[in-house]
Amino acid sequence: MPYDSPIVCILPYICAMENKKVRVRFAPSPTGGLHLGGVRTVLFNYLFAKQHGGDFIVRIEDTDQTRFVAGAEAYIFDTLAWCGLQPDESVLHGGPYAPYRQSERKPLYRQYAEQLVQQGLAYYAFDTADALEAKRKEIPNFQYNHQYRNQLHNSVALDAATTQQLIDNGTPYVIRILMPENEEIVFTDLIRGEVRFNSSQVDDKVLLKADGMPTYHLAVVVDDYLMKISHAFRGEEWLPSSPIHILLWKYLFGLEAMPKWAHLPLILKPDGNGKLSKRDGDRLGFPVFAMDWTDPRTNEPAIGFRERGFLPQAFVNMLAMLGWNSGQEQEIFSLPELIAQFSLERVHKGGAKFDYEKAKWFNAEWIKKLPAAELLPLVKPILIDAGLTIANDDYVEKVIDLVKERCTLLQDFVTQAGFFFQAPTQPDTAAIQPKWDAKKQAFFEQWLAVLPSTEWNAEALEQQFKALATELGCKPGELMLPFRIMLVGGKFGPHVFDIAAMLGSEAVSSRIQNTMQLL
RNA sequence: GGAGCGUUGGUCAAGGGGUUAAGACACCUCCCUUUCACGGAGGAAUCACGGGUUCGAUUCCCGUACGCUCUACCA
């Protein structure tokens, strides 16, 4: 369809009219490190929001106090900052709908649950955890639903006076949604199209816990409403519980106000099937979290993409291509390009297996693409960590330019560029020894003599090197490898004469002499 | 078990009633490079299965299989 087609032109206006401001949210619970799947959910939310000039909100869903992990929340924000996916509103960034932490919003939720009870759409349930546990053992596939709720300890089964008495006595209770029997619940998922459920298949989920905290089901709906969320994107694992949320919207705020849903495909483990987990990374030797994370409860460390030597641009780029593509052949995208081209319609329905090799390829591409000046602040500390002494930044920048096309991870700069800062301690003499002879020895001795008076640039050096070789009856080619080993220590690196030019006369001379002593 | 969702090479994937079924990663061969990479040129490799509909299905419909997710006072 041509771009100037009237239908295409009108579409955005219709959307704009019906949707007012685009507002999306990422709603993690602070229970651990942010893994690939989480960051990709953030990314798709972010891209969609920015493309539509909307807001990206981060709301902390910490309604389960038993699973709270210290440091997890800060880690989430650090990850977002590293990725360049900054929220417009959050615990950290503030905003007009604060607080953005659900534990601090606790008093808000009860009234909605109570309202539903008044309307007969929810009820009090007094069953203890043990009682339910016993039920589940007794009845296979037990569900708290229309079939069994009359036999259980709740305000539907009990008369009003008994219920009131239990409450007055301080008996702990939860509020459960009363799922209607045999009602079709249909909604349109932006990725999957029309999805339908029968209400009988969903059980009476707890809305408000005994401690007064809402469960996820109540909290998302209430907060999405209060925070004026226009589009709700989350992982596919939420699809089966969406009928609860739809019903809650219908009961509480009306379906017209409900955000548009999109359930994102999962990121799968590389071998076999199933959701990618930290375990898979440990097992297969690649990171799963964005950054290093140590679980404070177990002290178990997990390596992150950042510490593994990934560029945030590459990490984000790689994630975007897992489940989405532009339809064009382009694979390398900057964040602004992704914002411009992202479209929900092109998000895959099926899960994608994570491929670490391809992830590394994205990183190599980004290392090649970025100018040395931009790489410098990332590479320099890695070189210093490796024990190298760095005199000046200009030199490092030139070195980066010379070797970056052979680096896949940032750490590769240590091996690829280390010899620019430190003479090889153990040159690979075995590589030259077998063919070493008096003629070669003579050549290098002579060359050492003329070196100080040589014009110091790669071209001149190469010319002189070859001229001298010919003069002494040597094949220049046979001298290149020994020369490389002397300067680099091994069979790798950029063109020898580029290296020599960078190192300078003094270093080149001393490295030749050092290696010759070992032969 | 139930429900929902999914299924194009080993992986990411384009495509979509008639095509030699794009491209990328990985793999293999060659070229470039007297190193290692980068780069370039080639190669091998795919529509889960069975029925329909159709002149013609990888594409549409229905089944089947397989996989995944959910089935907590967790998110």
Side-chain angles (χ1 to χ4, degrees):
Chain A
M1 192 183 289
Y3 283 118
D4 57 358
S5 150
I7 297 175
V8 172
C9 287
I10 282 168
L11 223 54
Y13 295 101
I14 296 173
C15 294
M17 278 179 347
E18 107 176 53
N19 279 348
K20 67 251 160 192
K21 175 106 173 171
V22 167
R23 289 173 58 80
V24 304
R25 85 299 195 265
F26 175 60
S29 34
T31 54
L34 237 201
H35 61 86
L36 286 177
V39 179
R40 200 198 47 178
T41 301
V42 174
L43 179 62
F44 285 7
N45 269 290
Y46 180 88
L47 294 177
F48 184 85
K50 293 303 139 189
Q51 182 173 71
H52 293 91
D55 296 328
F56 169 54
I57 292 110
V58 172
R59 184 174 67 219
I60 301 295
E61 310 228 337
D62 56 346
T63 54
D64 185 356
Q65 284 141 339
T66 64
R67 295 213 310 162
F68 175 82
V69 172
E73 187 184 296
Y75 176 94
I76 288 166
F77 287 110
D78 286 349
T79 296
L80 298 188
W82 179 62
C83 294
L85 306 172
Q86 291 291 11
D88 297 296
E89 297 168 27
S90 79
V91 175
L92 219 65
H93 304 80
Y97 300 91
Y100 290 92
R101 205 160 10 223
Q102 286 181 332
S103 59
E104 292 169 19
R105 302 169 66 81
K106 183 178 174 186
L108 279 169
Y109 305 104
R110 168 157 236 121
Q111 54 178 306
Y112 295 101
E114 294 288 359
Q115 178 194 328
L116 291 173
V117 175
Q118 298 319 310
Q119 295 168 205
L121 300 167
Y123 58 89
Y124 303 114
F126 304 95
D127 317 84
T128 63
D130 288 347
L132 290 177
E133 187 63 29
K135 264 305 192 229
R136 279 188 260 268
K137 280 218 178 86
E138 177 196 333
I139 306 168
N141 303 323
F142 168 80
Q143 295 253 283
Y144 208 122
N145 62 10
H146 61 94
Q147 199 182 148
Y148 295 107
R149 84 179 138 240
N150 278 308
Q151 309 162 27
L152 293 152
H153 208 44
N154 57 53
S155 63
V156 176
L158 271 19
D159 60 66
T162 315
T163 300
Q164 196 52 55
Q165 179 135 49
L166 283 166
I167 292 173
D168 292 345
N169 289 349
T171 314
Y173 65 89
V174 301
I175 295 180
R176 309 187 88 109
I177 186 169
L178 192 149
M179 287 304 282
E181 220 179 313
N182 212 251
E183 197 175 291
E184 275 282 284
I185 300 169
V186 187
F187 75 99
T188 303
D189 184 282
L190 262 20
I191 292 172
R192 280 146 226 285
E194 200 172 86
V195 181
R196 52 183 67 231
F197 294 87
N198 187 298
S199 61
S200 299
Q201 283 138 203
V202 188
D203 61 349
D204 295 349
K205 287 280 178 246
V206 170
L207 262 23
L208 199 76
K209 304 187 239 187
D211 64 3
M213 275 291 193
T215 58
Y216 173 82
H217 306 298
L218 213 217
V220 231
V221 172
V222 169
D223 283 341
D224 282 354
Y225 169 74
L226 259 20
M227 295 183 179
K228 297 195 161 57
I229 300 304
S230 66
H231 298 261
F233 309 153
R234 46 153 48 160
E236 189 186 354
E237 67 268 28
W238 289 107
L239 203 43
S241 57
S242 57
I244 303 158
H245 310 142
I246 308 285
L247 230 40
L248 250 19
W249 269 99
K250 182 178 158 190
Y251 293 161
L252 256 16
F253 312 116
L255 257 16
E256 319 74 49
M258 185 170 74
K260 307 248 184 305
W261 298 97
H263 290 87
L264 273 19
L266 266 16
I267 295 178
L268 276 16
K269 55 187 71 185
D271 54 343
N273 291 298
K275 227 171 18 164
L276 181 69
S277 72
K278 179 189 164 296
R279 272 261 161 275
D280 300 312
D282 295 345
R283 187 169 52 90
L284 272 9
F286 59 78
V288 164
F289 292 136
M291 314 183 313
D292 274 5
W293 167 254
T294 301
D295 191 317
R297 296 163 305 184
T298 59
N299 261 327
E300 212 183 308
I303 190 159
F305 279 88
R306 182 177 67 175
E307 289 77 4
R308 248 309 159 81
F310 274 79
L311 257 13
Q313 292 93 329
F315 182 60
V316 164
N317 191 163
M318 173 272 289
L319 246 22
M321 302 310 287
L322 228 42
W324 175 85
N325 75 86
S326 69
Q328 252 56 47
E329 285 187 9
Q330 180 181 358
E331 286 192 279
I332 302 301
F333 290 90
S334 66
L335 195 54
E337 287 173 320
L338 287 171
I339 291 170
Q341 296 194 36
F342 181 74
S343 60
L344 233 30
E345 301 76 51
R346 297 198 64 88
V347 173
H348 255 242
K349 294 183 178 75
K353 287 183 187 174
F354 175 67
D355 181 357
Y356 187 52
E357 291 307 315
K358 183 93 187 209
K360 285 194 293 192
W361 175 78
F362 277 106
N363 206 52
E365 289 297 311
W366 271 96
I367 287 178
K368 278 188 286 181
K369 184 180 156 106
L370 289 185
E374 224 168 302
L375 258 9
L376 178 71
L378 300 170
V379 172
K380 196 173 152 183
I382 291 175
L383 296 177
I384 292 170
D385 268 3
L388 299 167
T389 312
I390 287 166
N392 78 82
D393 288 358
D394 283 352
Y395 183 72
V396 184
E397 268 193 46
K398 287 191 187 118
V399 166
I400 288 175
D401 263 332
L402 222 39
V403 305
K404 66 179 188 173
E405 67 193 26
R406 38 221 81 225
C407 295
T408 297
L409 300 172
L410 256 16
Q411 277 77 3
D412 293 343
F413 279 99
V414 173
T415 51
Q416 289 297 331
F419 59 85
F420 281 107
F421 305 93
Q422 194 176 72
T425 48
Q426 285 182 297
D428 182 10
T429 48
I432 35 179
Q433 212 115 46
K435 289 187 172 175
W436 189 253
D437 55 26
K439 258 160 83 176
K440 286 181 179 140
Q441 175 92 22
F443 167 83
F444 280 102
E445 275 165 7
Q446 285 237 21
W447 207 47
L448 228 30
V450 299
L451 229 35
S453 56
T454 304
E455 190 191 342
W456 210 260
N457 65 67
E459 296 73 33
L461 282 166
E462 179 163 5
Q463 219 169 51
Q464 184 153 62
F465 185 93
K466 288 183 174 168
L468 183 61
T470 320
E471 193 186 315
L472 298 181
C474 292
K475 283 185 185 161
E478 291 182 358
L479 295 165
M480 304 271 265
L481 185 66
F483 191 31
R484 168 175 300 280
I485 302 290
M486 290 166 178
L487 300 188
V488 175
K491 291 194 271 187
F492 64 93
H495 290 289
V496 231
F497 299 103
D498 284 335
I499 297 172
M502 280 289 285
L503 285 174
S505 171
E506 221 169 282
V508 170
S509 295
S510 83
R511 288 186 190 192
I512 293 173
Q513 284 170 324
N514 287 347
T515 313
M516 283 216 289
Q517 278 169 18
L518 300 171
L519 290 166

